[in-house]
Amino acid sequence: MTAQQTLTTVDNLYRYIQSIVPSLTRNNDDAILLDAFEQNDLRHVCQAIRETISNQVTYQHLTLRFGSNSEQSVYQFDVSKPVQFLFDLYSLYLAIRHIEFQLCTFHKDVINPLVVPINSETLSWPIGQGFINQVYQHHSSAMKYIIPCVQLHDKENNECHNVMTLNANLESLKKKAVQLWVDIIPLLNV
């Protein structure tokens, strides 16, 4: 991201994501999903997260799907790290768009916070860092309703040098976000 690129509008966010797509293809699954992106076939699905006892919706959870009936999850493919990171940014863009629509249409008291999964490594990716910083700077009204859910699913994050970087990234995001969730898959030595 250059110093002149400011992502002040939702259209700017989308155009920025579009501009980095051509440089990302590393394998066949990347090509399939990036083609779906370019054909405007990637969609978001918001699933309800409900209270166990009352069954009342308290959160929404964003996931990316594609296909004629949005039947395929992008997460079932073996995509490269840069494409995973791109989908995290795209998910944030879609979340902002979704929340901004809700803010214009509904009373803010009826909007449920939207949980958006973000790979922990996206926070270390320079493009991801710049994007996330600008999102919090220029889209703060929507980000008040968006909960980043940092996913710690990668074995590499257990190495000492990555733990320090991860802690710094989590601390930085914690200062910006209204809420921050962390999704951990523990590594078991069997």
Side-chain angles (χ1 to χ4, degrees), residues 47-61 109-113 181:
Q47 300 166 321
I49 300 175
R50 300 176 182 276
E51 288 288 335
T52 308
I53 296 171
S54 69
N55 203 31
Q56 181 178 354
V57 175
T58 52
Y59 298 97
Q60 307 169 75
H61 183 274
D109 292 340
V110 300
I111 299 172
N112 293 310
W181 291 10

Side-chain angles (χ1 to χ4, degrees), residues 152-153 155 158 184-190:
L152 301 174
H153 299 176
K155 295 174 189 172
N158 290 332
I184 301 171
I185 295 181
L187 299 174
L188 301 175
N189 292 331
V190 183

Side-chain angles (χ1 to χ4, degrees), residues 111-152:
I111 299 172
N112 293 310
L114 181 56
V115 178
V116 180
I118 299 175
N119 186 301
S120 62
E121 292 178 90
T122 302
L123 303 175
S124 297
W125 189 38
I127 292 172
Q129 284 178 341
F131 188 89
I132 290 168
N133 287 337
Q134 287 211 36
V135 157
Y136 277 100
Q137 181 180 359
H138 301 297
H139 302 275
S140 59
S141 59
M143 292 307 291
K144 289 177 186 170
Y145 295 89
I146 296 172
I147 302 170
C149 180
V150 179
Q151 298 181 318
L152 301 174

